[in-house]
Amino acid sequence: MAKRKRMSEGKKNIIAALLQEYDIQSAEDIQDALKDLLGDTIKEMMEAEMDEHLGYESYERSDNPNSRNGYKQKQIRSKYGETTLSVPQDRDSTFEPKIVKKRQKDISAIDDKIISMYAKGMTTRQISEMIEDIYGFEVSEGMVSDITDRLLPEIEEWQNRPLAEVYPILFIDAVHFSVKDNNVVRKLAAYVILGVNHTGKKEVLTIQVGENESSKYWLTVLNELKNRGVKDILILCADGLTGIKEAINAAFPQTEYQRCIVHQVRNTLKYVPEKDRKAFAADLKSIYQAPTEEQGRTNMEAVTEKWQAKYPNAMKSWSSNWDAICPIFKFSAEVRKVIYTTNTIESLNSSYRRLNAQRSVFPSPTALMKALYLATFEVSKKWTVTLRNWGRVYGELSIMYEGRLPE
């Protein structure tokens, strides 16, 4: 059992004085006492700053023509609520306090708290109500929006930052959100491009909020990556996004396009009712976990024949997209897991989906982008280690794509 930390005599004396001075009877009384002390403490600190500014202490004689000129009342916000400060003034109006700057209205780092709440998907109204409940002063929805708008230059800089020259693996995935645009609520897709760099660490390269997929759209997105320094991508894993294959061939002709196995399986099972889904999923596993492409195709034909009568549309996409599914068969189990495992991108997507849980409609595409950026920033803090077995994976990729990876 941890030992109880002994309180110093100094602290005991301070507490005794507080109890006597403020007649503290409850936790609320403590808050009020601290708020009062905060104002007096800041005032004393500003008095010391004024002494330094003028070069002499109060009531001392001096040849300095500038002198004290009373006090100006100022309301500030702190974590104890609103506090009135008496700010010392000088006749020349040259005094610039450092502890609380002239135009500073808040000393509780409230901006950081607002941005943190926004990152968790709270609406501007929810944040406004939360601040008022906790800190006892009102923060308008407009103020919350203005504070989070300060992120926009940071987001723009992040979206245009230089990237690595080579990414062994890239994932493109989409999460859909309801967004109000020109007073019309529409479904917009947030396309997330997640890279695995040569050190085996995950990195979100960009987030694109869009509506219409096409080869032209994806070529623009991929060209942006090129303009930011990307020269080569070994494997690009994505769902059947419209035009993505043609765009890859144009922007990165050496890149191998791998149809996302996770999405392929999900798209197949949507045709299958709950009663047969488990058995069907087990059969699909026999395809993408087959040791060779030939065996995979044989298993695909067997699965198709088995379920054709009950679910005639379920397996059509496997044969029609086989050229984008089959690249996975040339890799070992370790590399396959990196390519088709849900863990690589699902943790990111789950944080994005929590944004949907917090609010049904985003007020604008800009508001959505701010929330996505903050959610990405929070999740990526945890990406401190390399992917499992990355040394073996990197070695295999180096042989498979000889001369294209850094030594």
Side-chain angles (χ1 to χ4, degrees):
M1 183 183 293
K3 289 185 177 180
R4 181 181 174 184
K5 188 177 179 181
R6 297 190 68 180
M7 187 182 297
S8 68
E9 284 300 317
K11 282 185 180 180
K12 286 181 181 179
N13 292 335
I14 291 170
I15 291 170
L18 280 172
L19 291 172
Q20 183 176 358
E21 178 72 22
Y22 291 99
D23 189 27
I24 292 172
Q25 303 293 330
S26 65
E28 188 174 339
D29 291 339
I30 296 173
Q31 291 283 91
D32 291 337
L34 291 173
K35 184 166 69 171
D36 186 53
L37 281 171
L38 177 67
D40 288 343
T41 302
I42 292 174
K43 180 187 173 186
E44 287 299 313
M45 293 175 76
M46 286 193 291
E47 292 282 12
E49 285 188 270
M50 177 65 84
D51 290 345
E52 184 178 355
H53 175 68
L54 295 175
Y56 66 96
E57 294 183 6
S58 180
Y59 307 118
E60 282 187 356
R61 291 183 179 275
S62 172
D63 295 329
N64 188 346
N66 193 12
S67 62
R68 289 171 174 77
N69 190 29
Y71 298 90
K72 179 181 178 180
Q73 300 300 301
K74 176 178 179 177
Q75 289 286 117
I76 61 166
R77 305 183 190 99
S78 74
K79 63 182 180 179
Y80 303 113
E82 288 198 344
T83 302
T84 301
L85 289 183
S86 295
V87 182
Q89 305 290 295
D90 64 329
R91 291 191 182 278
D92 293 348
S93 299
T94 55
F95 177 52
E96 295 277 357
K98 297 185 179 69
I99 182 67
V100 178
K101 296 179 173 58
K102 274 191 173 180
R103 292 172 184 81
Q104 187 178 358
K105 299 288 186 181
D106 193 295
I107 59 168
S108 62
I110 198 68
D111 292 13
D112 291 340
K113 292 178 177 65
I114 286 173
I115 287 173
S116 176
M117 285 187 275
Y118 202 89
K120 292 176 173 62
M122 294 176 67
T123 66
T124 53
R125 178 175 295 178
Q126 289 170 334
I127 293 171
S128 178
E129 292 172 351
M130 180 74 76
I131 293 295
E132 188 168 4
D133 287 345
I134 296 175
Y135 301 111
F137 59 83
E138 185 178 349
V139 175
S140 69
E141 293 178 46
M143 178 180 171
V144 173
S145 183
D146 289 344
I147 289 171
T148 56
D149 277 348
R150 295 176 198 170
L151 290 167
L152 296 178
E154 184 180 324
I155 293 172
E156 184 177 359
E157 183 180 351
W158 178 77
Q159 290 276 51
N160 292 292
R161 74 193 189 282
L163 299 173
E165 291 188 359
V166 181
Y167 284 90
I169 305 168
L170 228 61
F171 298 88
I172 300 179
D173 203 6
V175 181
H176 293 83
F177 299 88
S178 294
V179 182
K180 187 180 288 186
D181 191 11
N182 294 322
N183 295 319
V184 177
V185 177
R186 297 186 295 161
K187 277 285 186 183
L188 293 183
Y191 297 106
V192 184
I193 300 184
L194 174 70
V196 178
N197 61 32
H198 75 279
T199 66
K201 292 185 178 180
K202 295 181 287 187
E203 174 189 348
V204 175
L205 276 57
T206 187
I207 302 171
Q208 300 288 336
V209 177
E211 187 176 19
N212 300 316
E213 298 173 22
S214 65
S215 55
K216 182 179 178 181
Y217 173 81
W218 288 116
L219 183 58
T220 300
V221 171
L222 294 177
N223 279 338
E224 282 183 13
L225 299 184
K226 290 177 70 174
N227 294 336
R228 291 167 61 191
V230 180
K231 294 181 180 178
D232 195 9
I233 301 163
L234 303 189
I235 305 164
L236 195 151
C237 185
D239 194 12
L241 303 170
T242 304
I244 187 69
K245 188 175 180 180
E246 294 78 7
I248 293 169
N249 288 336
F252 297 98
Q254 286 186 291
T255 297
E256 192 129 48
Y257 170 47
Q258 172 66 55
R259 183 91 171 198
C260 177
I261 299 298
V262 173
H263 284 98
Q264 184 68 28
V265 170
R266 287 178 183 168
N267 292 338
T268 303
L269 295 179
K270 71 182 181 182
Y271 294 100
V272 182
E274 187 66 34
K275 64 175 183 176
D276 287 331
R277 198 166 291 169
K278 188 175 181 180
F280 207 127
D283 286 345
L284 292 177
K285 194 177 289 186
S286 72
I287 303 173
Y288 61 84
Q289 289 189 351
T292 64
E293 180 185 349
E294 183 180 1
Q295 186 62 56
R297 179 180 283 277
T298 299
N299 292 349
M300 179 192 69
E301 292 170 353
V303 173
T304 302
E305 184 178 351
K306 176 180 176 180
W307 296 101
Q308 180 69 28
K310 292 183 76 172
Y311 310 112
N313 295 318
M315 292 297 296
K316 283 184 178 179
S317 64
W318 287 83
S319 55
S320 61
N321 293 302
W322 188 253
D323 62 327
I325 293 171
C326 67
I328 203 169
F329 292 109
K330 65 184 177 186
F331 299 113
S332 67
E334 284 81 5
V335 177
R336 291 191 197 186
K337 284 178 182 177
V338 174
I339 294 172
Y340 67 65
T341 182
T342 59
N343 294 337
T344 308
I345 201 164
E346 278 303 312
S347 62
L348 185 62
N349 283 347
S350 63
S351 69
Y352 294 154
R353 292 189 186 99
R354 282 197 292 271
L355 298 177
N356 267 333
Q358 287 282 356
R359 59 177 86 191
S360 55
V361 178
F362 282 84
S364 68
T366 301
L368 172 60
M369 190 64 214
K370 288 187 291 187
L372 289 168
Y373 170 75
L374 288 168
T376 302
F377 183 75
E378 288 299 314
V379 172
S380 60
K381 286 179 183 177
K382 303 172 185 176
W383 294 347
T384 57
V385 297
T386 59
L387 297 182
R388 182 177 294 181
N389 297 322
W390 181 248
R392 294 175 63 181
V393 170
Y394 193 80
E396 185 173 325
L397 293 175
S398 298
I399 295 170
M400 198 71 70
Y401 302 97
E402 187 177 358
R404 292 171 63 184
L405 285 175
E407 294 294 333

